[in-house]
Amino acid sequence: MGKIVLTEFVTVDGVMEDPGGAEGTERGGWVFSFDRGPEGDKFKLDELMDADAMLLGRKTYAGFAQAWPSRTDEEGFAERMNGMRKYVVSSTLSDEDASWNNTVVLRGDPAEEVRALRAQPGGNILIAGSGQLARALIRQTLIDEYRLMVFPVVLGPGQRLFSDSGALSRLSLDECSTCGDGILMLVYHPLR
């Protein structure tokens, strides 16, 4: 059984919304104000290469499926993104619309679907973006590892990674380093 690994770009004040600007929000695209440098690129490449599959919400899947199939790079990031198994949690996405290579649509209860995936043999399952799905899995204590790149910016309004669920969640810090323009790279696991 692999781990469920949540990877996110977040601001100092916890905003995760529209880091790349594809959603067209007023403050979207904030990650492009920073250079994450070679250490940050390695952090992202290593986590992708360590995963067997991706788990995405419908909106993030749609954005990735539009952006990634035509990309190539020398590091193998695009090839890995396009080749690996993708699970998308959605009750509205048709099989025909799930056309990105190696996609499986999960239509059941997200927590139950993730528990079933977690029980299968294999490596890590990586969740990127997918705010609604991420928060649902956090509430169900189904995240095994958090990999956060914290960008030195305060946005104020915007969708946050951690909601006001009222649940106390203690985390243990496994790794902490900086890269590029003062971006923190943090790896935590929950204390259960």
Side-chain angles (χ1 to χ4, degrees):
M1 158 178 90
K3 295 183 290 190
I4 305 297
V5 178
L6 179 64
T7 179
E8 299 291 350
F9 296 140
V10 297
T11 66
V12 170
D13 59 337
V15 174
M16 65 173 292
E17 183 175 33
D18 201 9
E23 297 171 42
T25 63
E26 179 183 343
R27 297 180 183 200
W30 45 270
V31 295
F32 297 123
S33 300
F34 302 91
D35 177 8
R36 65 184 186 202
E39 300 90 359
D41 291 344
K42 183 178 182 331
F43 182 80
K44 297 307 288 178
L45 181 63
D46 288 351
E47 73 185 7
L48 184 66
M49 294 303 182
D50 286 344
D52 280 357
M54 292 193 74
L55 175 64
L56 303 167
R58 185 191 51 78
K59 289 179 185 176
T60 300
Y61 173 82
F64 281 16
Q66 182 177 9
W68 282 103
S70 61
R71 291 188 185 180
T72 60
D73 59 59
E74 293 181 16
E75 296 80 24
F77 195 95
E79 181 179 343
R80 182 75 173 148
M81 285 285 286
N82 289 315
M84 73 189 321
R85 169 80 59 199
K86 274 108 22 207
Y87 297 100
V88 57
V89 176
S90 176
S91 61
T92 59
L93 186 70
S94 71
D95 289 335
E96 296 79 35
D97 291 332
S99 59
W100 189 16
N101 189 39
N102 291 326
T103 295
V104 175
V105 180
L106 305 176
R107 293 187 173 84
D109 174 76
E112 292 306 313
E113 295 283 5
V114 170
R115 284 186 186 95
L117 287 176
R118 194 192 232 177
Q120 295 176 12
N124 294 342
I125 299 171
L126 191 64
I127 304 170
S130 308
Q132 184 177 347
L133 174 63
R135 285 186 295 279
L137 298 180
I138 290 168
R139 281 190 301 274
Q140 295 289 324
T141 65
L142 289 170
I143 304 298
D144 299 304
E145 183 175 285
Y146 295 87
R147 298 180 62 85
L148 307 176
M149 289 187 89
V150 182
F151 288 74
V153 62
V154 175
L155 292 183
Q159 185 182 115
R160 286 173 164 59
L161 176 58
F162 299 100
S163 65
D164 293 333
S165 67
L168 175 64
S169 299
R170 297 231 15 215
L171 304 176
S172 177
L173 181 65
D174 296 325
E175 296 175 35
C176 177
S177 57
T178 61
C179 65
D181 293 337
I183 300 163
L184 283 172
M185 298 181 295
L186 304 171
V187 179
Y188 291 99
H189 72 269
L191 295 173
R192 296 193 173 111

